[in-house]
Amino acid sequence: MTRLPLSPALPGRPLPGRILRAGALLAPLALLGGCGGGTPLTFDLAALPGQARAGGAARSIVVSEPVGLQPMEADRIIVREPGGSLSFLGGGQWADRLPRLIQTRVIQSLENTGRLRSVSRPSDKVPSDYQLVSEIREFDVNSGTGEAVVDLSAKLIAEGTGRVVNARVFTARVPVKKVDPQSAAAGLDAALGQVLADLVRWVNTAR
């Protein structure tokens, strides 16, 4: 486990020779080119699966990239140690910068419900009724409690007026057997899945 430097942000890195999807069967998949010794495993996060249409809400949502403290801006798996200090977990990394990865899974999860007219990113320049903005308050494994913790605050903002229509904090905690890359990624993916389920339900019903 590498002590986390809290100064310059770490840039994302390309995928290594092996990739592990945290939300699937947790079996590493070899990519073309093989895998070298000591190369960190790359883990993905899963979107919610598709659901049958249950009456569209006939509105459009633009999903902004979540913001967070500097350590959350990287592609590293974070461990929160007793006393609150943060460390990067060696041997594993996310498939992208964490905020961008979460943004993508939120968009896919909302799209998969079939309840909205459109779900887009700000860069898509698609007219929308609401903007979903969020903050990653916590996305780490707590080594003291042995839990994967995801804490995300979200606001629905009416486009045009900038009025906050609704706001809520979503939190999930999932036990992890040990603090290693595979267990940490699986726990965080499961916790995010709970948060996504609550968030999607909230977006589809909030007024």
Side-chain angles (χ1 to χ4, degrees):
M1 196 182 301
T2 307
R3 177 67 63 182
L4 173 68
L6 294 180
S7 41
L10 296 178
R13 291 189 301 277
L15 294 177
R18 296 174 69 198
I19 183 166
L20 187 78
R21 181 156 185 90
L25 299 178
L26 294 177
L29 305 176
L31 297 179
L32 291 176
C35 54
T39 302
L41 291 172
T42 294
F43 297 90
D44 203 351
L45 295 167
L48 295 181
Q51 302 173 7
R53 285 182 178 272
R59 55 182 177 171
S60 300
I61 302 285
V62 59
V63 180
S64 296
E65 184 176 298
V67 298
L69 295 175
Q70 191 176 40
M72 307 292 179
E73 292 290 330
D75 61 352
R76 304 293 296 276
I77 299 173
I78 296 174
V79 174
R80 188 175 300 272
E81 299 172 351
S85 61
L86 302 177
S87 299
F88 284 144
L89 184 60
Q93 61 189 18
W94 298 117
D96 203 341
R97 288 177 49 253
L98 183 60
R100 187 159 54 197
L101 186 56
I102 291 176
Q103 178 194 32
T104 299
R105 299 304 174 236
V106 169
I107 290 172
Q108 292 173 341
S109 296
L110 288 168
E111 287 176 332
N112 289 345
T113 68
R115 300 279 312 275
L116 298 168
R117 187 167 67 247
S118 70
V119 187
S120 59
R121 292 175 171 80
S123 59
D124 295 335
K125 306 298 184 184
V126 175
S128 63
D129 301 306
Y130 300 96
Q131 183 178 18
L132 177 65
V133 299
S134 58
E135 178 183 357
I136 307 169
R137 298 170 17 139
E138 196 167 345
F139 202 98
D140 52 61
V141 173
N142 190 313
S143 63
T145 63
E147 294 174 311
V149 183
V150 173
D151 191 346
L152 191 75
S153 68
K155 293 181 179 70
L156 267 180
I157 300 174
E159 292 283 25
T161 67
R163 180 175 66 92
V164 176
V165 176
N166 214 331
R168 185 175 161 184
V169 175
F170 301 89
T171 305
R173 297 174 177 271
V174 173
V176 292
K177 294 181 179 179
K178 55 184 177 178
V179 183
D180 64 10
Q182 184 163 335
S183 300
L188 287 166
D189 182 63
L192 180 63
Q194 294 179 24
V195 164
L196 287 175
D198 290 340
L199 176 69
V200 165
R201 218 166 13 244
W202 175 74
V203 168
N204 283 331
T205 58
R207 293 291 184 270

